[in-house]
Amino acid sequence: MPIYPIDKPVRIPSPSQRLALPRASAGFPSPAADDLEDEIDPIAWIVRHPTSTFWWRVEADCLWDAGIRDGDLIAVDRAGKRRIGRAVLAVVEGAVTAKILRKREGRFYLAPANSREAYPDIPLTEESEIWGVISGVVRRYPIE
């Protein structure tokens, strides 16, 4: 799964956007509130460590079950805690890949999260580097 760095920083037109107080139901509809109570900066909500967070574009669907799709932008935090079960960006044999960090029989490896396709596990070697932890994902939908 090739991953590509984003050359231009992600910008939004305003530093913050209005946030509706009630949550949007993804199941049964609920009555909408007319009030907008709070403001949120969507990028700051994802980026906890601005100086150590970098944006990458995902290619392929090996993290489909983790909610990361082909074409998404992922925020990768180099200061994030590298823990088993977290989605990470790694460099293995010179290639950059995004997978789930796992451990089996005392050995670390990178595992896909896609029950629809058979992506292979990638064993980590001493030359491999866990570059950072995926701290968020941004997806753009067509609206026309």
Side-chain angles (χ1 to χ4, degrees):
M1 171 174 153
I3 305 289
Y4 301 100
I6 304 301
D7 293 328
K8 297 178 185 171
V10 175
R11 303 260 189 242
I12 55 176
S14 165
S16 61
Q17 303 293 318
R18 300 207 42 107
L19 176 68
L21 177 63
R23 296 180 185 262
S25 172
F28 293 103
S30 64
D34 293 334
D35 302 346
L36 294 178
E37 178 158 311
D38 223 348
E39 288 189 351
I40 184 173
D41 177 346
I43 300 303
W45 188 67
I46 291 173
V47 177
R48 281 83 149 193
H49 306 109
T51 59
S52 63
T53 300
F54 299 85
W55 291 91
W56 296 75
R57 186 175 305 280
V58 174
E59 183 179 89
D61 287 322
C62 77
L63 290 175
W64 182 273
D65 296 346
I68 299 173
R69 311 286 195 264
D70 182 58
D72 286 350
L73 298 179
I74 54 173
V76 179
D77 190 337
R78 291 189 53 91
K81 302 288 184 202
R82 289 136 173 92
R83 294 196 174 129
I84 304 301
R86 289 205 172 152
V88 298
L89 188 84
V91 180
V92 180
E93 297 180 10
V96 180
T97 187
K99 300 274 190 296
I100 307 298
L101 181 61
R102 301 277 186 214
K103 186 176 183 180
R104 179 174 48 230
E105 298 172 1
R107 296 187 175 205
F108 291 97
Y109 66 98
L110 300 173
N114 187 325
S115 55
R116 302 176 320 144
E117 296 184 42
Y119 290 98
D121 291 343
I122 300 172
L124 294 176
T125 65
E126 288 192 24
E127 291 80 34
S128 302
E129 178 188 1
I130 305 296
W131 200 82
V133 176
I134 297 174
S135 62
V137 61
V138 176
R139 179 173 305 128
R140 188 172 172 168
Y141 293 103
I143 58 171
E144 282 85 29

